[in-house]
Amino acid sequence: MNEEYLSFHSEYHDMLIEGIKTSTIRLHSNLKPGDKFKLIRYAEGGPKTFTFKVTQVNRIRFDEIDNKLAIKEGYCHKKLLQRDLRSIYPEIINSSLLYQISFELMK
């Protein structure tokens, strides 16, 4: 079982901790179900670490992203998610295979 740190933009930290954002899409990943990853959130009082457990990993084509998946990602529409993914991974094309990693916060 792997345990690693994943980076998320700070604007997503609250959504991750509150369970609104329950998946992430990555171009590359070695994570599998059962693996854990940590998120370090820097705030007043110093850094706090949160641990998440990977529940599912799926391969998905970029052009298969739909609104249901966008909501799991914390977006209200697939076009916004696709726009942000293209800004992070400029090499993405419609047929690119991505990793959709679903997870839950460990209490």
Side-chain angles (χ1 to χ4, degrees):
M1 175 169 38
N2 293 330
E3 188 167 307
E4 58 185 75
Y5 291 89
L6 286 185
S7 296
F8 291 90
H9 289 253
S10 60
E11 64 198 64
Y12 298 122
H13 288 188
D14 285 341
M15 288 191 294
L16 288 159
I17 294 162
E18 293 169 13
I20 296 167
K21 180 172 174 58
T22 59
S23 74
T24 185
I25 295 178
R26 304 291 168 125
L27 187 56
H28 306 286
S29 178
N30 293 321
L31 291 171
K32 58 189 179 309
D35 286 348
K36 296 176 185 170
F37 68 88
K38 293 183 183 264
L39 167 73
I40 299 176
R41 181 179 183 194
Y42 296 93
E44 287 184 34
K48 186 166 183 182
T49 303
F50 296 88
T51 303
F52 295 83
K53 182 178 179 182
V54 175
T55 57
Q56 192 172 20
V57 178
N58 296 313
R59 296 302 303 265
I60 184 168
R61 282 175 37 131
F62 180 79
D63 59 2
E64 294 174 335
I65 292 173
D66 59 16
N67 286 330
K68 183 178 176 183
L69 176 56
I71 290 168
K72 286 184 72 172
E73 289 282 324
Y75 289 82
C76 61
H77 195 276
K78 71 177 186 175
K79 296 285 185 195
L80 298 172
L81 172 57
Q82 289 173 323
R83 179 199 65 200
D84 283 358
L85 286 170
R86 281 200 161 123
S87 72
I88 296 166
Y89 306 114
E91 67 272 27
I92 284 180
I93 59 174
N94 283 342
S95 62
S96 292
L97 274 177
L98 307 170
Y99 292 89
Q100 180 208 0
I101 304 161
S102 298
F103 49 81
E104 60 189 15
L105 178 64
M106 296 184 67
K107 304 279 177 175

